Amino acid sequence: MGTVREDDTSPLPQLRLDDLLDELQTRLDAARSARDRVHSLLEAVLDVGRDLDLTQALHHVVEAAVTLVDAEYGALGVIGEDRTLSQFIPVGVSDEQRARIGPLPSGRGLLGELIRHPVPLRLGEIADHPSSVGFPADHPPMHSFLGVPIRVRDKVFGNLYLTEKRGGGGFDAEDEAVLATLAVAAGVTIDNARLYSQARLRERWLAAGAEVTSSLLSGEPEQAVLDLLVTRASQIAGADLAVVAFCLPQTDELEVRIAVGLRGSDHRGLVLPVSGSFMGAAVQSADLAVSADVRKDPRITAGPPRWEGLGPALAVPIGTAEGGIRGVLMLARAEGAPLFDADESAPLKGFGAQAAVAMELAERRRDSEQVALLKERDRIARDLHDLAIQRLFATGMTLQGAIRFIEHPEASERVLRAIDDLDETAKTIRSTIFGLRAKRSGPAGKGLRARVVETVDRAAAVLGFTPALRMTGLIDVTAPPEAAEEALAVLQEALSNAARHSGATSVEVELAAGADLVLTITDNGIGLPEGGRRSGLANLAERAAAMGGGFDARVRAGGGTELVWRVPLPAA
């Protein structure tokens, strides 16, 4: 029989077993925690990876990071072209707190440390770091810090910043590893979202270009098409100001035709030199001109101050260096707004070139229509000459031959009057034929008839109604250029006076060419003022006297004014 040893009842084996069980339990808890964290990380990666909208994806990345490392505050800063933060997306700070804190950070101090050195950074106390510059007023207190860079295709896109580990203490190496893993997944998601955003942006620019082209080629007025171009460009680019300026022919100047948005009235109607203006820089380079702050752009040396409240801007030429620059489209955002990045500006260049091609096609279409119109005028003139005038002559000769058979004096007199009327009608048709066949280019190349019609049409906008117009005689044939220019100047002055002073509701204009060129303008207004002529009417009299003619202004019997301007025409 064996003997019982005294130490068989010792508590030491039981203690060792308890320690082993406690250690095993601790390791099991750590494994469960690691498992849960890995599951959370995978869920966060999957959740973030579902986003294709870039803005939403960035928000989800910050929210996932705050949850994974159990931080109270988090933010994602997007690095801009100037190596500062172009976007800052915070989580954990309420809108009221943001408003009290003031402007969002731009990447100075500790936040800029990760921009300058894109490697993970973990701190137990923010204030102890040499780059820390403190917090603005009303900023919540923050102590612990963890930051990691987010890379997209080997380029640092931005940084994740986390502060204030919940429960006290600081962030550990495991937190850093989890956040670094999330940053890799976030980089892939952000890249996909950017590619999707770029594709959507190009699609919108292509659709806008197609809409502009369709409008131009369908015959829409040019001003309406330009308004459409500005509206679409402003909407797609998120601009607060949109400006279109066109190159003035034979000059080195730009004329601003359209300016819509913030302080647009300060730009509208300006004529700017190509050298010394922001839009001119796009013309000179035949490429995009980009400015981070247009108020301080050194290329702007001419023109009145007009950039207050604006910040980022870009200008794109309408046209190409090979095909010629027609003008410039400029877009600007308000002060403090994000810069125009490469993804936004690249499609805009194609949009400008496409708009120029559409304008060129529209001009070619208008030229074709003009050629067709001139051909039609030639045909009408030929038919009038070959048919109408010949029949009038034949009718006149028939009537002249029939006079000797008419015995009644009154009937004979009526036939003679009819012959005179036919002769006058033939002269009028001849004048019309000459007008139809006039093909000279430019304002001076148009016949006097056409220019009188244009002058009367323009006056309708000022008068509020269209004056009645009647023209007789061989006006385009018999009126020399000097007399034509004077007559047009007199007509413009008379219509302007009627609009400003007469209060008339109707105006009649008659231009007749015979031995004299006679221009008569009548209205139903208040008549001439008592005590003499107006200075403007004296000017009309001087114009007539200078050409050996005369001018008369009188009050009509039924009310209103009648102006008669007359100059002699050279003998045929």
Side-chain angles (χ1 to χ4, degrees), residues 426-514:
K427 289 180 180 179
T428 301
I429 292 176
R430 272 212 181 105
S431 175
T432 302
I433 291 171
F434 279 109
L436 287 171
R437 286 179 171 171
K439 298 184 179 67
R440 289 171 290 172
S441 61
K446 296 180 181 178
L448 179 56
R449 280 178 175 270
R451 298 176 69 187
V452 167
V453 171
E454 291 179 354
T455 302
V456 170
D457 286 342
R458 285 197 301 269
V462 181
L463 288 165
F465 57 88
T466 302
L469 175 62
R470 182 168 61 255
M471 290 184 281
T472 59
L474 303 177
I475 294 172
D476 289 336
V477 177
T478 58
E482 298 80 7
E485 294 298 328
E486 290 295 320
L488 285 169
V490 169
L491 178 59
Q492 291 170 357
E493 177 73 17
L495 292 174
S496 177
N497 286 341
R500 291 198 306 265
H501 307 299
S502 72
T505 58
S506 70
V507 175
E508 296 181 4
V509 176
E510 182 177 357
L511 182 63

Side-chain angles (χ1 to χ4, degrees), residues 389-400:
I389 288 183
Q390 300 306 322
R391 289 186 178 180
L392 288 173
F393 279 145
T395 303
M397 292 177 66
T398 300
L399 291 175
Q400 282 179 335

Side-chain angles (χ1 to χ4, degrees), residues 172-430:
D172 56 24
E174 187 177 339
D175 292 329
E176 181 179 320
V178 168
L179 197 60
T181 303
L182 179 65
V184 172
V188 175
T189 299
I190 290 169
D191 191 29
N192 290 337
R194 288 179 65 184
L195 291 173
Y196 177 75
S197 178
Q198 289 172 10
R200 290 285 299 155
L201 192 61
R202 288 194 184 96
E203 181 182 350
R204 293 183 69 189
W205 281 119
L206 287 172
E211 189 177 2
V212 170
T213 302
S214 176
S215 297
L216 276 169
L217 298 182
S218 64
E220 287 285 332
E222 185 176 7
Q223 186 62 40
V225 177
L226 291 177
D227 290 339
L228 175 64
L229 183 148
V230 167
T231 300
R232 292 292 178 268
S234 182
Q235 289 173 345
I236 296 172
D240 297 293
L241 172 69
V243 176
V244 172
F246 280 92
C247 300
L248 294 176
Q250 311 301 322
T251 69
D252 289 327
E253 293 179 325
L254 291 166
E255 180 186 11
V256 177
R257 302 272 184 86
I258 299 176
V260 178
L262 185 62
R263 299 180 67 87
S265 58
D266 293 345
H267 300 261
R268 201 174 301 118
L270 289 178
V271 175
L272 301 170
V274 170
S275 178
S277 64
F278 179 60
M279 289 183 287
V283 175
Q284 290 178 319
S285 65
D287 203 348
L288 283 169
V290 182
S291 178
D293 189 349
V294 72
R295 295 169 302 169
K296 303 174 183 177
D297 196 290
R299 291 168 288 190
I300 301 174
T301 59
R306 58 194 183 281
W307 304 105
E308 184 180 349
L310 295 169
L314 62 81
V316 59
I318 300 175
T320 60
E322 298 79 11
I325 305 298
R326 292 174 167 271
V328 181
L329 169 64
M330 188 199 77
L331 301 173
R333 289 173 177 162
E335 179 184 359
L339 305 179
F340 290 95
D341 58 30
D343 293 343
E344 293 175 307
S345 58
L348 189 58
K349 186 176 178 181
F351 179 70
Q354 186 178 4
V357 171
M359 290 179 182
E360 183 74 20
L361 291 173
E363 283 188 6
R364 294 292 177 266
R365 178 181 56 79
R366 286 195 293 269
D367 289 344
S368 299
E369 291 175 353
Q370 186 67 20
V371 169
L373 176 62
L374 292 174
K375 287 182 177 178
E376 180 65 12
R377 286 182 175 181
D378 277 345
R379 185 191 65 76
I380 294 172
R382 192 166 51 250
D383 290 346
L384 287 173
H385 182 272
D386 295 343
L387 301 175
I389 288 183
Q390 300 306 322
R391 289 186 178 180
L392 288 173
F393 279 145
T395 303
M397 292 177 66
T398 300
L399 291 175
Q400 282 179 335
I403 287 178
R404 64 176 182 271
F405 301 111
I406 300 175
E407 298 179 355
H408 197 287
E410 186 176 345
S412 178
E413 183 182 350
R414 289 186 179 182
V415 171
L416 289 172
R417 282 203 304 269
I419 293 172
D420 291 339
D421 288 344
L422 289 172
D423 187 48
E424 188 64 31
T425 302
K427 289 180 180 179
T428 301
I429 292 176
R430 272 212 181 105

